[in-house]
Amino acid sequence: MFTPQGPSLRELAVQALSSVEHGYDLLAPKFDHTPFRTQDSILDAVERALTAMGPFDHGLDLCCGTGAGMEVLRELCRESATGVDISAGMLAVGRDRLSAGSGDRDRNRRDGDRDGDCDRDRDGAAAGAPRLSWVRGDALALPFGPVFDLAVSFGAFGHFLPEQLPGLFAQVHSVLRPGGRFAFPLPAPAPPRSPWYWAALGFDAAMRVRNAVWRPPFVMYYRPFRLGLVRHELERAGFDVELFALPEFGPRPDGSPRCRMVVATRPPTPGHRAAR
């Protein structure tokens, strides 16, 4: 529907009538050929912004899908990067795509690199790259202790209802070390004069009707995840919250950023060195 390699309209309809988990299992082989994958421009901007806050040792990609965020963590983390997702199909695609040490963003960078002299080990992974792990799990019941210096998430928050955010943020807080950071991009909402405003409004309305008349539900809403609510719930979960404009996307007409990066930090405990 979106590209010759992407899903057909029928395939998207079958996915939409499935549960979130099964729907993404079905979509996984063609997911990276849809506009649902986070754009490289956003991934690159977040990576640049987080580089200045590092270094990081252990990273978590929350609701990692096919691993777009794992590519970011592979550049930022020195020891390990872990992706967690509820869909086994998405995890399998991500694992296969990055197992040779390459991904879409890496290929784009290498295409523009005349030298192409990156040292790689026998599995194709860049020398000195962090260990990659893929874990099937529920973001509302994360199977980890407080071991991560950095957690990121890209494009997944529409799968959580507003009343689920306290539990979600509490889970992220619990798996970060003291001083660890939880970072994600948050674009500004489209104004009413934008066609994207009406597209998101119509999509959310259609999903509410679908979930009212069909089971199992497929939770995916674009509009409820707003900065004010997000900041409030992060602070309630015990985070210190900072906002960083991503200058690559410029300002809106009122001067506010078109896209921010939210960085929520688990405060260091007395006598504990903050994660770096």
Side-chain angles (χ1 to χ4, degrees), residues 59-61 64 66-75 81-84 98 131-134 152 154:
L60 174 69
D61 185 5
C64 65
T66 58
M70 289 287 279
E71 296 180 45
V72 173
L73 291 179
R74 190 172 56 186
E75 299 300 320
T82 300
V84 62
L98 272 71
R131 180 181 69 258
L132 302 185
S133 301
W134 306 83
V152 298
F154 295 92

Side-chain angles (χ1 to χ4, degrees), residues 3 32 42 72 81 93 110 116 122 130 150 196 226 233 246 257 268:
T3 68
D32 288 338
I42 294 178
V72 173
V93 171
R110 289 200 301 275
R122 64 183 182 182
L150 174 65
W196 294 111
R226 299 298 183 91
E233 294 296 352
L246 295 177

Side-chain angles (χ1 to χ4, degrees), residues 8-9 17 22 48 60 72 78 99 107 123 144 153 156-157 162 165 175 178 186 211 222-223 227 264 268:
S8 66
L9 180 60
L17 295 175
H22 184 56
R48 280 190 289 268
L60 174 69
V72 173
R78 297 182 293 191
S99 62
R107 284 193 292 272
D123 294 323
F144 311 109
S153 193
F157 295 115
L165 294 182
V175 302
L186 186 58
N211 288 333
Y222 284 104
R223 290 170 48 80
L227 178 59

